[in-house]
């Protein structure tokens, strides 16, 4: 995800800058046009799904936004690059245990997907860190919904989502490896809990994800917990 190239995050930003120069636009202008096009395209895609969708744009605004793809055809290439960046991040998320292959495919099938942080959410610091596995935590129900509030800068949203997804996947994989090692070397210290089992504050428990499923485990010795949280 971090490598250079048009299908990397930095490559996507460079492509957007090149398009701005070609059309004699400022970066802010191309950013605004791309945002309107991408958000409108996603809302149009959601409207075709079976999901209940709440849109902050009228049908006329959505159609006007989609027309930016006709005015600036290169926006489609940038959109394709974003989908590749998204796939790369999802591959890492699968390897990290956050999603199963099936769950990842479900997400990637939404080819017009862009993260929808709301301005109101960001103002309340309700970005990806407050959403467990990130904004698109569809593993619990795959709910595809828009919203009535205005969407914040989608390129900022994309960068936040990509960075958080990769970081969370790496941390979860590290925790999984540590859990498996502890189970092998200290089997009497580790007890697996049911997903629906109530956990009390005084218990030494951890939450990890394996193949898209949440796992709970309890350790007898609280020192083991420090290995996960330190």
């Amino acid at each position: 995800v971090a490598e250079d190239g048009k299908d990397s995050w930095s490559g996507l930003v460079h492509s957007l800058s090149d398009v701005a120069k070609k059309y004699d636009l400022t970066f802010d202008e191309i950013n605004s046009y791309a945002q309107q096009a991408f958000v409108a395209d996603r809302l149009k895609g959601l409207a075709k799904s079976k999901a209940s969708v709440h849109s902050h744009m009228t049908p006329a605004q959505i159609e006007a936004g989609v027309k930016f793809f006709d005015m600036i055809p290169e926006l489609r290439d940038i959109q394709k690059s974003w989908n590749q960046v998204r796939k790369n991040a999802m591959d890492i998320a699968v390897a990290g245990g956050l999603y199963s292959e099936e769950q990842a495919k479900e997400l990637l099938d939404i080819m017009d997907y862009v993260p929808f942080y709301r301005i109101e959410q960001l103002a309340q610091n309700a970005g990806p860190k407050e959403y467990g596995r990130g904004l698109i935590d569809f593993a619990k129900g795959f709910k595809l919904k828009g919203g009535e509030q205005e969407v914040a800068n989608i390129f900022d949203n994309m960068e936040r989502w990509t960075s958080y997804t990769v970081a969370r996947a790496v941390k979860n994989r590290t925790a999984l490896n540590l859990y498996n090692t502890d189970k092998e070397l200290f089997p009497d210290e580790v007890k697996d809990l049911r997903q629906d089992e109530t956990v009390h504050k005084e218990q030494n428990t951890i939450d990890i994800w394996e193949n898209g499923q949440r796992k709970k485990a309890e350790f007898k010795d609280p020192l083991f917990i420090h290995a996960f949280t330190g």
Side-chain angles (χ1 to χ4, degrees):
V1 174
E3 294 179 357
D4 291 334
K6 70 182 184 67
D7 290 338
S8 68
W9 176 252
S10 60
L12 188 151
V13 174
H14 285 308
S15 295
L16 199 63
S17 180
D18 290 341
V19 173
K21 292 177 183 177
K22 178 178 178 179
Y23 289 89
D24 195 25
L25 300 169
T26 66
F27 189 80
D28 286 343
E29 286 173 331
I30 193 64
N31 194 320
S32 174
Y33 298 158
Q35 165 144 335
Q36 293 178 65
F38 290 2
V39 171
D41 204 39
R42 189 204 172 194
L43 287 171
K44 191 171 183 178
L46 287 176
K48 296 176 182 177
S49 73
K50 297 179 181 179
S52 174
V53 178
H54 304 284
S55 174
H56 65 287
M57 297 174 71
T58 66
Q61 289 173 325
I62 290 175
E63 289 304 317
V66 172
K67 285 182 180 178
F68 278 110
F69 286 113
D70 297 326
M71 297 169 55
I72 308 174
E74 289 85 353
L75 291 180
R76 283 294 183 195
D77 292 330
I78 292 174
Q79 189 181 46
K80 290 177 182 177
S81 292
W82 159 241
N83 279 320
Q84 186 58 48
V85 170
R86 189 166 56 90
K87 182 181 182 304
N88 294 345
M90 286 303 299
D91 286 344
I92 294 172
V94 170
L98 299 183
Y99 298 99
S100 67
E101 292 282 356
E102 183 179 352
Q103 289 166 344
K105 184 179 183 301
E106 182 81 16
L107 296 176
L108 292 173
D109 282 345
I110 314 164
M111 294 311 292
D112 57 357
Y113 175 78
V114 292
F116 267 21
Y117 293 106
R118 304 287 163 187
I119 289 176
E120 184 178 84
Q121 287 174 313
L122 294 179
Q124 297 173 355
N125 293 320
K129 292 182 181 179
E130 285 70 35
Y131 286 109
R133 284 180 295 166
L135 182 63
I136 57 166
D137 193 356
F138 290 122
K140 293 182 179 179
F142 302 102
K143 296 179 180 177
L144 311 180
K145 294 187 178 181
E148 296 178 354
Q149 290 83 29
E150 184 181 356
V151 177
N153 186 298
I154 62 167
F155 291 101
D156 184 45
N157 296 353
M158 289 176 179
E159 185 176 20
R160 285 169 182 257
W161 176 81
T162 303
S163 297
Y164 180 74
T165 298
V166 172
R168 186 69 186 87
V170 170
K171 289 178 181 178
N172 189 71
R173 172 48 60 187
T174 300
L176 264 177
N177 292 342
L178 187 58
Y179 160 81
N180 289 328
T181 299
D182 289 344
K183 285 273 287 185
E184 182 179 351
L185 298 179
F186 312 102
D188 294 335
E189 286 287 342
V190 188
K191 176 186 176 183
D192 290 329
L193 305 177
R194 299 189 317 273
Q195 288 189 24
D196 62 349
E197 194 165 341
T198 301
V199 174
H200 300 287
K201 202 171 185 179
E202 62 272 15
Q203 289 179 267
N204 305 310
T205 61
I206 61 166
D207 288 325
I208 52 179
W209 296 86
E210 186 173 37
N211 197 33
Q213 297 297 317
R214 185 179 183 180
K215 292 173 66 79
K216 290 183 180 181
E218 181 180 5
F219 291 84
K220 291 182 180 178
D221 191 333
L223 290 177
F224 280 91
I225 299 299
H226 293 309
F228 288 89
T229 60

